[in-house]
Amino acid sequence: MTGSTAVPGATRTRLELSRGLAGACHPVPGLAVTAVAVALAAGTGLPAGRVALLGAAVFTGQLSIGWSNDWIDAARDRAVGRTDKPVAAGTVPRAVIAAAATTALVVTAVLSALLGPAAAAALLVVVAAGWAYNLGLKSTIWSGAAYLLAFGALPVAPYAALPGQQWPPWWVPVVGALLGFGAHFANVLPDLRADAATGVRGLPHRLGPRAGVIAMALALAAASVVLGLAPAGTSTGFALAVPALGIALAAATTAAAIRAPRSPVAFRLTLLIAVLDVVLLITNTR
């Protein structure tokens, strides 16, 4: 009909597939990790072109991890009715998500190599840890190890990409690892029931919602303590205030978790600690 605005079937299918792929890559955590990596890289004094290259390498690595998660978990997600997962919902064919994950893995390997061997090694450790988690580590008591390794390695990459392949101050990867450990619980705790139905029993599942929130808060508070005390040149007031604030928020989180383990209050308090720690980490690298 003349003047019709109907979208042709093939175009509609491509749009649906594109939206499905965008949703299946776990965009929010992927973009958050990329943004933190870019901010850290800019803070180290890395030239703008190499900051962009590092950001692209991190982003494609996160794409590969996100897509591989939905590819590997497709049957499990269908079993629990995860309609929010495009592969499980049938929006994206499993073969397509497999090809996307594999392509992103190759691209991140190439981009990482352009930053030099040391930076590439750090970035590929992040990707390898993410894939290992998806391939089965998440169902073991060692599930948190993948996050410790990945987030400990991530802040090393910007320093390793500098001329001379520098090593960051010791506290930078330590804080990254602690933040990663906390992020593991933040990522898993909302899905405990769905995971239990399909046999996934990582560390957060074994601890349960109450102890899991407490473990998350303690890891993030420990990061606050390191951020307050370890960086050189910080004032006495800063060194006292940051750990005190982190510990106080962790105590409030623990109290909230003990009182009502499934309440969103404790979870939101841990997110507040995480935001504080990330901001301080970025600030202290400048």
Side-chain angles (χ1 to χ4, degrees):
M1 183 172 65
T2 304
S4 173
T5 59
V7 180
T11 302
R12 184 185 300 112
T13 300
R14 285 195 294 271
L15 287 172
E16 290 174 350
L17 184 60
S18 298
R19 292 192 190 102
L21 284 170
C25 74
H26 299 230
V28 174
L31 288 171
V33 170
T34 303
V36 170
V38 168
L40 287 172
T44 63
L46 202 63
R50 289 178 72 78
V51 170
L53 180 59
L54 184 141
V58 172
F59 181 62
T60 51
Q62 291 299 303
L63 286 178
S64 79
I65 294 169
W67 280 331
S68 68
N69 178 273
D70 278 26
W71 167 28
I72 294 164
D73 282 355
R76 182 182 293 118
D77 290 337
R78 287 193 192 101
V80 294
R82 291 291 299 270
T83 55
D84 60 313
K85 294 290 193 81
V87 181
T91 307
V92 179
R94 194 163 182 260
V96 171
I97 206 78
T102 304
T103 301
L105 182 62
V106 172
V107 172
T108 193
V110 172
L111 294 176
S112 299
L114 295 176
L115 290 163
L123 290 173
L124 294 178
V125 163
V126 176
V127 177
W131 275 73
Y133 181 85
N134 291 339
L135 286 168
L137 195 62
K138 67 180 179 182
S139 296
T140 74
I141 197 171
W142 301 104
S143 60
Y147 279 78
L148 283 167
L149 183 60
F151 283 83
L154 181 64
V156 173
Y159 289 88
L162 290 167
Q165 298 181 355
Q166 300 178 30
W167 184 259
W170 67 267
W171 53 267
V172 172
V174 169
V175 169
L178 289 168
L179 288 173
F181 193 66
H184 174 38
F185 285 85
N187 184 54
V188 171
L189 287 174
D191 296 327
L192 286 183
R193 289 178 179 172
D195 287 343
T198 56
V200 175
R201 281 187 52 78
L203 181 60
H205 307 85
R206 295 164 195 258
L207 292 179
R210 179 182 284 111
V213 169
I214 294 171
M216 178 169 57
L218 290 176
L220 297 174
S224 298
V225 171
V226 175
L227 281 165
L229 300 178
T234 56
S235 66
T236 302
F238 182 90
L240 293 174
V242 171
L245 180 57
I247 292 170
L249 286 171
T253 300
T254 301
I258 291 172
R259 184 170 58 252
R262 298 193 182 278
S263 167
V265 174
F267 186 74
R268 288 168 183 166
L269 284 170
T270 57
L271 293 182
L272 181 60
I273 308 173
V275 170
L276 169 69
D277 289 342
V278 169
V279 170
L280 290 173
L281 176 61
I282 293 170
T283 302
N284 279 313
T285 59
R286 296 185 180 278

